[in-house]
Amino acid sequence: MGNNEEYTAFLQARRCELMRYIAQVAGAAGRNPQDITLCAVSKTLPAEKLPCALRAGYRVFGENRVQVLQEKLDMLRTPACQSICAATSNAAAAGNPAGACAPVSFDMIGTLQKNKLNKLIGAARRIQSLADVDMARALNERCAVHNVRMHVLLELNISGEASKSGFSVPELMEHMSGFTELSHLVIDGLMCMAPAHARDEARACFKELTRVQARLRADYNLSCSVLSCGMSDDFDIAIQEGSTLIRLGRILFDPQYDIQSLTQRS
């Protein structure tokens, strides 16, 4: 969709449909839909289309490359995006919660590189993909230099797939005491990716993630309140199993994605 008005209309309609479905799934699981954050994975969304996504109501975005994240931040500073954000701020000031939205933020969800860490500090709201002990230490050192604290999620590779990054559960537990000593990192919770196109295996991964969360709360007195799991093909299962942050990309931004298949899921 090359026309911005048409694409914005598509994004708005798709978002309304998805939010209704999320509320339905959450309600059936005895959960409050407001406890679930939708992270719009915007890596395939061109920077010039960011105003369309903002008009549709998206405010939390996920990027997997530092350079692209910075391009989106540059676009966010343009008059077009600033006017959209100002309009929602004015709605909040006028006491109109229906027109008010949270501030725009970007999470880093991709593989980290040590030579890009300085560029992430101050740009990303949170790093969801901390999956290496040495990287954690390096990030903590850079944050200390900048005198900031970075919010992070520890990434688990529960399925053990070689194609996925992340700690195994035993590795995480082995290094957990060391993580809690990194004073410039704030461990918000956990993140994982489930095997693709395998819903039973996905459910098992999400269940294990909630078990690890409970263990960290009990053993390390961490709130560990964020569970980032669930993508376009399995986010309904993730919600049922306790996810608080679902990462959706294609289903939001691709008009060719068959959203009608949602209603046929078991």
Side-chain angles (χ1 to χ4, degrees), residues 180-206:
T180 61
E181 294 173 359
L182 299 177
S183 59
H184 286 79
L185 302 186
V186 181
I187 301 173
D188 289 338
L190 304 170
M191 185 265 261
C192 80
M193 294 177 62
H197 314 301
R199 289 172 66 79
D200 288 343
E201 289 86 343
R203 187 179 298 279
C205 281
F206 302 149

Side-chain angles (χ1 to χ4, degrees), residues 92-237:
N96 177 16
C101 292
V104 180
S105 62
F106 287 84
D107 284 8
M108 179 62 179
I109 62 174
T111 303
L112 301 179
Q113 297 175 279
K114 287 185 180 179
N115 63 343
K116 301 288 180 65
L117 291 180
N118 284 331
K119 294 181 179 179
L120 272 178
I121 297 171
R125 172 192 70 153
R126 174 191 289 142
I127 293 174
Q128 294 196 31
S129 49
L130 190 55
D132 179 86
V133 175
D134 290 340
M135 190 68 69
R137 292 170 180 157
L139 178 61
N140 186 68
E141 291 173 0
R142 307 289 173 82
C143 288
V145 170
H146 291 276
N147 195 30
V148 299
R149 301 183 78 202
M150 174 65 78
H151 290 258
V152 301
L153 302 181
L154 301 176
E155 182 177 0
L156 289 179
N157 182 357
I158 293 174
S159 64
E161 294 173 272
S163 60
K164 290 182 170 60
S165 58
F167 299 99
S168 68
V169 175
E171 286 173 338
L172 179 69
M173 294 307 173
E174 177 186 351
H175 296 291
M176 200 63 219
S177 294
F179 288 141
T180 61
E181 294 173 359
L182 299 177
S183 59
H184 286 79
L185 302 186
V186 181
I187 301 173
D188 289 338
L190 304 170
M191 185 265 261
C192 80
M193 294 177 62
H197 314 301
R199 289 172 66 79
D200 288 343
E201 289 86 343
R203 187 179 298 279
C205 281
F206 302 149
K207 283 181 178 293
E208 179 65 10
L209 197 69
T210 60
R211 283 193 286 266
V212 176
Q213 176 194 44
R215 187 172 172 184
L216 295 184
R217 286 173 165 173
D219 293 352
Y220 296 95
N221 197 30
L222 294 173
S223 66
C224 210
S225 60
V226 179
L227 288 184
S228 175
C229 59
M231 300 170 67
S232 291
D233 293 333
D234 56 25
F235 69 90
D236 53 338
I237 298 174

Side-chain angles (χ1 to χ4, degrees), residues 82-94:
Q82 288 296 301
S83 64
I84 298 169
C85 296
T88 57
S89 296
N90 292 338

